[in-house]
Amino acid sequence: MDPGRVDPSWLGTLVVYSAAESAAPDLPVELGPDKVLAVTPVNWSVPARTTNVHPVDGGARPNATGITSSEGSPDGSPVAYRIASEDLIGAVAARLGITVKDLVWLNPDVTVYGDQQYLYEDTVLNLDPFRR
């Protein structure tokens, strides 16, 4: 086991042992010291860390006419985007110079089914990877 390793995929099985220190008379033998209580396989799904996502507003365009906000940004970069009527996720991502995947990563509550999906008007999308 390497404690400095971020990816836990090396762990494939979880084994739970009893923490009982001694075999007490009222303790069932199955729960005695060092008895295996459970064994289960572990399947990992760890999303890649993408804090290197840096949206830049390229200006309004068809299907991406919402308003960006840089309030609270130390360098003036956009930190939020308010969806306008007829905005499509792919066009908004392109306007911001990022991929749809990056935009969804920044907004885990947003579910998309393709680049041509319309978004709900007045929804505010997060653009700051540190406020995720």
Side-chain angles (χ1 to χ4, degrees):
M1 185 165 114
D2 180 0
R5 202 169 160 187
V6 176
D7 177 9
S9 61
W10 56 269
L11 179 62
T13 304
L14 182 64
V15 180
V16 179
Y17 289 90
S18 170
E21 293 182 17
S22 65
D26 60 336
L27 186 66
V29 68
E30 295 86 7
L31 300 179
D34 298 319
K35 295 289 184 174
V36 174
L37 302 177
V39 177
T40 187
V42 178
N43 297 310
W44 293 95
S45 176
V46 180
R49 184 176 175 157
T50 45
T51 55
N52 59 341
V53 175
H54 301 288
V56 176
D57 188 3
R61 58 188 68 192
N63 299 111
T65 59
I67 299 169
T68 58
S69 169
S70 57
E71 185 176 328
S73 172
D75 61 359
S77 62
V79 295
Y81 178 88
R82 182 175 298 277
I83 301 297
S85 175
E86 305 297 317
D87 275 3
L88 295 171
I89 188 89
V92 171
R95 171 182 172 170
L96 298 168
I98 60 176
T99 66
V100 170
K101 183 178 176 182
D102 290 339
L103 193 54
V104 171
W105 179 81
L106 289 167
N107 298 277
D109 294 337
V110 172
T111 303
V112 298
Y113 303 100
D115 292 354
Q116 299 304 311
Q117 178 177 324
Y118 284 101
L119 299 167
Y120 292 109
E121 186 175 358
D122 289 329
T123 299
V124 177
L125 297 176
N126 172 50
L127 303 179
D128 184 352
F130 300 103
R131 293 185 187 170
R132 188 176 170 272

